[in-house]
Amino acid sequence: MGEVKLTRLGSGGGCGCKMDARLLAGLIGSQPPADSRLLVGSDGRDDACAWQLASGDCLVASADFFTPIVDDPHDFGAIAATNALSDIYAMGARPHFALALVGMPVAEIGTEVIGQILAGGQAAASAAGVPIAGGHSIDSPEPIYGLAVVGGCRREHLLRNCTAKRDDALILAKPLGIGVLAAGLQKGKLSAAGYARLRAVATQLNAVGAELAEQGLVNALTDVTGFGLLGHLDEMCAGSRLGARIDLAALPLLPQARQLAESGVAPGAAGRNWRNCQDRVAIDGKLADWQRILLCDPQTSGGLLAACAPERSGQLLAHLDQAGFQDAAVIGQFTAGGEVPITIAG
């Protein structure tokens, strides 16, 4: 059959193929919980739903899948599974088990490639200590893979993206640029070292989110995925009724991300993400095109974005560093809300 270029078989790539944020908001609308036990549902913009159990624990569940962001089948499966597990960690919970969501053009890519995708997903889930207990598969025109994940936590450990406090430090755990590097890969402009770094970051489990919740180190938490840093920060600001100020110089970036963005390499979703939030952003100083691209770059299996009391930011950074997130950085702080909530300081 020859080598299969998975990224050429999908109309999108990774979390960049998510629906437009404004379109999605209009489709879902404001739907109040139908049951008092549904603590977090579709009425908010959180990473997963949460259900109150009689024991006092919470059941936390989410589903995430996408088309290939890389050509290597095993890497695609591992990145997709890691990304899906992140939704549970971003709620302060620990995943219990998962179900595979699989759509594949069987005749075009063959069972061997499909098997490698599933093996990659299994490897990521095994690293998290999570069994893939079953799932569902279809024959589809595009390759699609992901997981539905069920986890849990104590109710007092459940984290939301809408509970930041004024003056909280804003901390990003992983560097930006996954979408830009993936676009560079498709154009043949990404180095071998750049690909290795992309893979390492995108397959790094955000399991530390559950630890942060259990230790009470953060006030609010989410993860940065398809809507980019600005899009997910905007959700935090809207839910918390606060503003935020970002320090451009403090943003951690993946190697080669700036170089590629400066040369005009960018995923299509970066432009869409900017259009969706630009009316809620003020620029204090200068914002270069490459910086705007990275602020809106759709991250696939991106980093946790945390709000914590400023006096605890050093402790939080130390914990993240010990957990393997050496690029974690304070990138700004939450402020009083305003007509234009997000300020970018250049």
Side-chain angles (χ1 to χ4, degrees), residues 303-320:
L304 294 173
L305 186 63
C308 79
E311 65 272 13
R312 304 198 73 179
S313 61
Q315 183 182 357
L316 177 53
L317 285 174
H319 191 95
L320 288 170

Side-chain angles (χ1 to χ4, degrees), residues 25 58 81 84 94 124 136 151 188 203 232 289 310 316 324 341:
C58 292
R94 296 181 183 274
H136 185 66
T203 56
H232 290 284
D289 287 344
L316 177 53

Side-chain angles (χ1 to χ4, degrees), residues 29-343:
S30 179
Q31 301 177 13
D35 192 300
S36 61
R37 293 169 293 179
L38 184 61
L39 302 177
V40 182
S42 60
D43 54 315
R45 296 181 179 182
D46 270 296
D47 299 289
C49 64
W51 181 268
Q52 175 74 64
L53 298 174
S55 64
D57 294 337
C58 292
L59 196 67
V60 180
S62 181
D64 207 311
F65 57 87
F66 46 65
T67 55
I69 186 175
V70 296
D71 289 316
D72 184 278
H74 192 278
D75 287 352
F76 167 44
I79 291 169
T82 304
N83 178 76
L85 292 164
S86 184
D87 285 338
I88 304 300
Y89 295 131
M91 298 292 289
R94 296 181 183 274
H96 296 327
F97 66 91
L99 303 173
L101 306 172
V102 184
M104 295 290 159
V106 179
E108 189 161 0
I109 66 175
T111 56
E112 182 179 350
V113 170
I114 296 171
Q116 291 173 22
I117 294 171
L118 299 184
Q122 182 64 64
S126 296
V130 177
I132 297 180
H136 185 66
S137 61
I138 62 170
D139 195 327
S140 69
E142 294 183 313
I144 298 169
Y145 179 72
L147 300 176
V149 188
V150 177
C153 64
R154 296 291 300 174
R155 180 166 183 173
E156 61 267 26
H157 295 153
L158 183 69
L159 290 173
R160 306 284 306 271
N161 69 356
C162 59
T163 50
K165 299 179 180 180
R166 183 175 176 177
D167 298 325
D168 271 357
L170 181 63
I171 294 177
L172 179 63
K174 288 184 182 182
L176 298 174
I178 291 175
V180 168
L181 264 61
L185 174 68
Q186 293 181 38
K187 293 178 180 293
K189 296 183 176 181
L190 185 65
S191 67
Y195 181 79
R197 187 75 175 115
L198 182 159
R199 185 193 182 284
V201 170
T203 56
Q204 184 177 18
L205 291 165
N206 281 328
V208 70
E211 299 171 15
L212 301 181
E214 291 161 3
Q215 296 181 24
L217 286 175
V218 298
N219 293 325
L221 193 67
T222 190
D223 60 349
V224 180
T225 54
F227 300 146
L229 173 62
L230 284 185
H232 290 284
L233 177 57
D234 188 34
E235 290 181 337
M236 294 185 81
C237 288
S240 303
R241 298 184 179 181
L242 293 171
R245 185 177 181 86
I246 296 175
D247 179 6
L248 275 179
L251 293 176
L253 304 178
L254 282 167
Q256 212 177 335
R258 174 174 177 171
Q259 172 194 343
L260 288 168
E262 283 183 324
S263 69
V265 174
R272 180 193 68 189
N273 288 341
W274 174 249
R275 292 189 294 273
N276 281 341
C277 67
Q278 62 181 330
D279 58 344
R280 294 174 58 78
V281 174
I283 301 169
D284 182 5
K286 295 182 179 180
L287 181 66
D289 287 344
W290 69 267
Q291 292 171 316
R292 174 181 49 78
I293 289 170
L294 288 165
L295 284 166
C296 299
D297 185 33
Q299 303 301 282
T300 299
S301 190
L304 294 173
L305 186 63
C308 79
E311 65 272 13
R312 304 198 73 179
S313 61
Q315 183 182 357
L316 177 53
L317 285 174
H319 191 95
L320 288 170
D321 182 76
Q322 187 175 17
F325 296 87
Q326 281 79 31
D327 292 298
V330 176
I331 63 168
Q333 69 178 126
F334 284 91
T335 62
E339 185 176 344
V340 182
I342 300 175
T343 299

